């Protein structure tokens, strides 16, 4: 689908210079001389490289058609993560490199959304929050409980986050996958 160069929005995926690029940031600019343009920061979905491009409203760009499907995370084999389509039971494998840093949050049976372009997986969208167990944290020093300072804690997936003083080893906590921060105690 062709769209005007000035109608690109953050999150859009476009076909540009022979590759697939996701718009990260956009900024409308109107210089004193010449016509207005849209300054777009693009990230290549294959190799992660970045590119800054200017698009004028007269230019047409190809917006990529992406399909989002629900998958269930099954297991890890080497540096590949295996997922199963919830409707057809077909399995696909995605490399750790394509998933990126979010791979630490994957748990057996977790429901995720995978973005596909012409049956090729581009990325994995995790749930907003996950529940993890605290495996290591410092004990509370008497008299420090009144302050609102957080203490470091290591979770079952190896991630380190700051937690309130009342959280102990063995407690289950809710963590934001986007911010990688403590949200609350799990029920």
């Amino acid at each position: 689908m062709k769209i005007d160069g000035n109608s690109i929005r953050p999150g859009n995926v476009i076909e540009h210079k022979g590759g697939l690029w996701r718009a990260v940031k956009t900024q409308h600019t109107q210089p004193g001389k010449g016509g207005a343009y849209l300054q777009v920061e693009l990230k290549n979905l294959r190799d992660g490289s970045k590119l800054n491009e200017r698009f004028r409203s007269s230019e047409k760009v190809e917006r990529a058609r992406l399909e989002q499907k629900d998958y269930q995370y099954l297991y890890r084999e080497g540096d590949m993560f295996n997922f199963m389509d919830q409707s057809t039971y077909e399995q696909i494998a995605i490399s750790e490199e394509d998933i990126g840093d979010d791979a630490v949050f994957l748990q057996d049976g977790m429901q995720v959304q995978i973005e596909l372009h012409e049956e090729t997986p581009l990325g994995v969208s995790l749930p907003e929050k996950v529940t993890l167990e605290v495996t290591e944290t410092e004990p509370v020093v008497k008299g420090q409980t009144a302050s609102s300072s957080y203490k470091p804690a290591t979770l079952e997936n190896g991630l380190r986050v700051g937690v309130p003083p009342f959280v102990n080893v063995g407690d289950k906590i809710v963590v934001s996958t986007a911010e990688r921060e403590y949200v609350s105690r799990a029920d």
Side-chain angles (χ1 to χ4, degrees):
M1 172 170 79
K2 294 254 187 220
I3 59 171
D4 291 334
N6 66 349
S7 58
I8 299 170
R9 300 287 172 256
N12 288 161
V13 176
I14 62 169
E15 293 177 22
H16 183 65
K17 293 187 176 180
L20 286 176
W21 301 81
R22 184 179 308 276
V24 180
K25 290 183 200 168
T26 60
Q27 180 181 0
H28 285 278
T29 306
Q30 191 161 358
K33 286 185 173 180
Y37 60 87
L38 184 69
Q39 182 77 30
V40 182
E41 182 181 317
L42 299 168
K43 182 177 181 185
N44 189 307
L45 294 176
R46 289 283 164 236
D47 60 19
S49 61
K50 291 201 173 181
L51 175 70
N52 280 308
E53 286 286 330
R54 292 180 177 179
F55 294 99
R56 300 200 180 282
S57 61
S58 59
E59 291 180 66
K60 297 283 186 198
V61 291
E62 186 70 31
R63 185 168 173 195
R65 291 200 182 279
L66 298 179
E67 184 181 359
Q68 293 189 334
K69 281 183 157 181
D70 291 328
Y71 280 82
Q72 179 181 20
Y73 172 64
L74 297 176
Y75 60 93
R76 178 181 183 156
E77 190 174 350
D79 68 340
M80 299 298 284
F81 292 86
N82 293 281
F83 299 87
M84 180 178 66
D85 185 326
Q86 293 292 278
S87 55
T88 65
Y89 302 109
E90 289 180 31
Q91 293 184 20
I92 62 168
I94 302 176
S95 72
E96 185 173 13
E97 186 179 312
D98 288 341
I99 295 174
D101 295 340
D102 288 342
V104 299
F105 291 111
L106 288 172
Q107 299 171 339
D108 290 344
M110 178 182 274
Q111 303 297 316
V112 298
Q113 264 198 342
I114 296 181
E115 232 173 17
L116 302 155
H117 178 260
E118 297 173 357
E119 299 300 317
T120 304
L122 297 178
V124 176
S125 297
L126 299 171
E128 286 181 30
K129 299 172 185 168
V130 294
T131 302
L132 296 165
E133 185 177 329
V134 176
T135 57
E136 191 180 306
T137 188
E138 298 168 3
V140 177
V141 176
K142 193 172 184 180
Q144 274 190 336
T145 54
S147 69
S148 63
S149 64
Y150 278 33
K151 61 183 182 177
T154 304
L155 306 177
E156 63 185 281
N157 63 355
L159 188 69
R160 291 184 58 83
V161 295
V163 296
F166 58 80
V167 174
N168 298 309
V169 173
D171 289 354
K172 290 199 179 281
I173 62 169
V174 178
V175 178
S176 163
T177 55
E179 305 297 322
R180 296 175 172 251
E181 292 177 350
Y182 169 87
V183 175
S184 67
R185 252 187 177 159
D187 298 332

